[in-house]
Amino acid sequence: CRASGRSARGAAAGGWPCALARPRLMTAPDVVSYWQNVFEKNGIPEARESSEYIVSFVLGAKTFQSLDSKKLCAPLTAVQQEQIQQLSCKRLERMPVQYVLGEWDFQDLNLKMRPPVFIPRPETEDLISLIVEEESRKCEAKNSALSVAIPSPVILEVGCGSGAIALSLLCKIPQSRVLAVDKEETAVDLTRENVHRLQLQDRIHILHHNVSYGSAKLLLPWGPMDFIVSNPPYVFHEDMASLDAEILRYEDLDALDGGDDGMRVIKIILTLAPSLLKDSGSVFLEVDPRHPDLVEDWLCAHPDLLLTLRAVHKDFCGKPRFLHIQKRSR
Ligand SMILES: C[S@@+](CC[C@H](N)C(=O)[O-])C[C@H]1O[C@@H](n2cnc3c(N)ncnc32)[C@H](O)[C@@H]1O
Ligand SMILES: *[C@@H]1O[C@H](CO)[C@@H](O)[C@H](O)[C@H]1NC(C)=O
């Protein structure tokens, strides 16, 4: 379950109708094969997909499959070939294709990507669905109680990175407001750019802040919160060295490294949660598969926090990945 994104719909275009193209004029499929071959010879992972993404991007499409036959058969211009070469050279240095293109899709949002800001992973899309489901469940309960108030949940995101989670939630929950916090200026800047790109600035506040055990006072004026969501750094420190070269060379490792037990930031979030959440408010976390048990033990050892582990949800690879933790009312 790693970041390859835009899902590997990358099967080669079998039988493209260009058999009569003159050999010296390079068409898109020719160029894709050429760079695939270069990538393979240089040991670059996902050689075919990388090449397809780069060529499609330069031709103004998101996937190779979505190129129409006209674009597939037309010889590329010198400018296009040069652009492809420039991008491919970055990929040859193991730069993730998301940074090479400078943009990537998360759910149906097209987001700017820039190193070293964490690239949103496909499994995180399921975290959004869990919150949307919980919100609509709460709405149904309220409606059946004949409340007429329009729900406008307040959501805190700890560690917004590129803004992927915050922006998705703003789109999927139309009346929601989000406070998006990140300790890195590069992340806060990129979230801001993506917010404006998608014209969602009216319902979000972005805060450059390093969340710690003392952050409640600073964050509470935007609350109390209905939800706290985070895809925190959760990789166990000892696992950091075995990450892919793409990650180790280009991504901010602080965005991934969760300390010895991967729980450094998780513990901060859970400690802050009772004072930031409304009664029955929820924390949704993406975690390592070893964390559900560790977090449950930790919550048992901290009963004063009044937090209950409500549910553990699996990711699309079947690994326990998402925690729903709820605040009990006193
Ligand atoms: C795994 S990334 C997630 C980024 C984004 N939410 C996503 O899912 O694509 C974790 C983010 O948390 C930020 N972060 C880590 N510790 C933090 C802290 N104590 N306070 C605020 N942000 C923090 C990092 O800078 C990084 O952007
Ligand atoms: C954030 O705070 C932690 C201590 O909680 C500190 O170790 C770290 O260096 C700080 N990071 C930034 C970017 O300020």
Side-chain angles (χ1 to χ4, degrees):
C1 263
R2 273 213 207 87
S4 59
R6 282 195 191 179
S7 66
R9 279 165 267 151
W16 49 275
C18 305
L20 298 176
R22 280 190 288 154
R24 271 174 305 115
L25 296 176
M26 298 274 275
T27 62
D30 297 335
V31 179
V32 166
S33 302
Y34 173 80
W35 283 106
Q36 175 186 356
N37 192 25
V38 174
F39 291 153
E40 276 167 1
K41 286 204 170 113
N42 286 277
I44 304 299
E46 298 174 342
R48 177 86 198 173
E49 291 86 342
S50 300
S51 181
E52 286 186 350
Y53 280 130
I54 289 169
V55 172
S56 329
F57 177 78
V58 168
L59 295 183
K62 278 192 182 163
T63 62
F64 192 64
Q65 281 60 48
S66 66
L67 287 171
D68 57 30
S69 56
K70 201 171 150 200
K71 278 191 171 160
L72 283 173
C73 299
L76 299 189
T77 67
V79 171
Q80 286 171 329
Q81 292 200 43
E82 196 170 306
Q83 282 171 341
I84 291 166
Q85 174 166 7
Q86 269 175 16
L87 298 177
S88 298
C89 287
K90 294 186 181 178
R91 183 70 192 110
L92 274 175
E93 313 255 302
R94 296 291 294 259
M95 183 183 270
V97 75
Q98 294 90 339
Y99 289 151
V100 170
L101 306 184
E103 60 163 60
W104 201 247
D105 287 1
F106 182 79
Q107 295 205 318
D108 36 14
L109 304 179
N110 183 259
L111 301 173
K112 267 194 170 187
M113 294 290 130
R114 191 166 54 225
V117 181
F118 184 85
I119 298 166
R121 307 302 205 256
E123 54 267 35
T124 304
E125 298 191 357
D126 288 341
L127 188 59
I128 312 297
S129 320
L130 291 174
I131 298 171
V132 171
E133 278 162 29
E134 173 67 9
E135 172 59 18
S136 54
R137 209 189 50 74
K138 278 169 70 179
C139 286
E140 275 166 30
K142 267 195 200 146
N143 284 342
S144 62
L146 290 176
S147 157
V148 286
I150 300 165
S152 46
V154 182
I155 304 170
L156 165 67
E157 186 190 4
V158 176
C160 56
S162 63
I165 295 177
L167 291 170
S168 273
L169 288 171
L170 285 175
C171 287
K172 302 257 150 131
I173 310 178
Q175 308 287 336
S176 59
R177 305 195 147 268
V178 173
L179 174 61
V181 182
D182 205 291
K183 70 181 174 64
E184 296 299 328
E185 192 145 25
T186 49
V188 165
D189 288 346
L190 190 59
T191 292
R192 215 164 259 142
E193 284 178 43
N194 281 322
V195 164
H196 286 282
R197 188 179 173 90
L198 299 167
Q199 288 295 302
L200 286 166
Q201 59 275 10
D202 294 344
R203 290 186 286 128
I204 188 166
H205 190 90
I206 304 162
L207 197 62
H208 180 203
H209 172 65
N210 186 1
V211 175
S212 69
Y213 289 98
S215 295
K217 234 187 181 162
L218 181 88
L219 300 176
L220 205 50
W222 280 275
M225 317 289 172
D226 293 84
F227 299 110
I228 299 173
V229 57
S230 186
N231 172 19
Y234 62 71
V235 178
F236 286 51
H237 182 73
E238 62 180 14
D239 296 341
M240 288 296 295
S242 48
L243 296 174
D244 291 343
E246 277 77 2
I247 299 174
L248 292 174
R249 281 193 207 170
Y250 292 93
E251 280 190 304
D252 172 19
L253 298 181
D254 248 14
L256 291 130
D257 190 341
D260 289 341
D261 59 359
M263 300 240 302
R264 188 172 44 82
V265 180
I266 293 173
K267 285 173 187 166
I268 296 176
I269 293 171
L270 294 178
T271 304
L272 293 173
S275 40
L276 295 178
L277 285 175
K278 295 178 184 168
D279 278 353
S280 309
S282 294
V283 182
F284 285 90
L285 297 174
E286 181 175 321
V287 297
D288 180 274
R290 287 164 285 181
H291 281 140
D293 289 344
L294 290 175
V295 168
E296 187 160 36
D297 291 349
W298 190 85
L299 288 177
C300 280
H302 295 81
D304 48 313
L305 292 178
L306 297 168
L307 296 173
T308 307
L309 178 57
R310 274 263 165 267
V312 179
H313 298 273
K314 292 182 173 157
D315 65 18
F316 52 68
C317 300
K319 293 191 175 151
R321 182 68 67 192
F322 309 106
L323 302 181
H324 176 191
I325 293 159
Q326 196 169 27
K327 179 178 169 180
R328 300 190 289 270
S329 34
R330 274 178 198 279

